[in-house]
Amino acid sequence: MKIGYLLLLTACLSGCFPARLYLKNKPNFPVDVFYENQRPERPFEPIRDLEVSEETPVRAGQLVNKRLLKRGNDMQEKELLLARLTLQAKKLGANALVGVKYTYYTSATDNGYSMRGLAVRYRDEEPSGN
């Protein structure tokens, strides 16, 4: 009797609360990334300012009743931009990107974006190879 009651209670409660899977996967970039309000604790020397930018046409999914409702990129697209930027930094021998900033604009026909950051090398390390 108790087992039947427990099974029924478990079934009822599990039906009330949908299962959720929270992933805490953090992208693994080839260099450390510090956004505009962050700084590495280690001393560094600047190598070069980097930028990735592009313009794309407005997609049909952004328009609802001829009104532009969705602006900018989603999180996956932003991570791809950051991956491109970090690869550029790695090719220069950088250990990190500092002051990374993402900006976008949307017009009636186009989406534009840019991601910028300063490629830096930590002072206590030699340049890394490919």
Side-chain angles (χ1 to χ4, degrees), residues 8-66:
L8 179 64
L9 181 62
T10 303
C12 289
L13 288 177
S14 64
C16 296
F17 303 104
R20 297 197 193 276
L21 179 61
Y22 293 100
L23 300 177
K24 293 187 178 185
N25 290 341
K26 190 175 180 182
N28 188 12
F29 296 113
V31 298
D32 297 334
V33 176
F34 298 92
Y35 294 94
E36 58 186 329
N37 59 344
Q38 302 171 324
R39 285 282 190 239
E41 293 179 6
R42 301 162 65 178
F44 60 86
E45 58 188 47
I47 298 175
R48 187 166 80 186
D49 286 314
L50 299 176
E51 180 178 4
V52 174
S53 61
E54 192 172 324
E55 220 174 73
T56 59
V58 170
R59 297 181 302 265
Q62 291 180 273
L63 296 171
V64 176
N65 297 327
K66 297 184 181 181

Side-chain angles (χ1 to χ4, degrees), residues 51-59 62 68 70-73 78 81 102-116:
E51 180 178 4
V52 174
S53 61
E54 192 172 324
E55 220 174 73
T56 59
V58 170
R59 297 181 302 265
Q62 291 180 273
L68 187 62
K70 182 180 177 219
R71 300 174 187 270
N73 294 331
K78 288 178 188 174
L81 294 174
Y102 169 77
T103 55
Y104 75 91
Y105 71 88
T106 305
S107 70
T109 58
D110 295 310
N111 293 301
Y113 63 82
S114 71
M115 188 171 280
R116 299 180 177 123

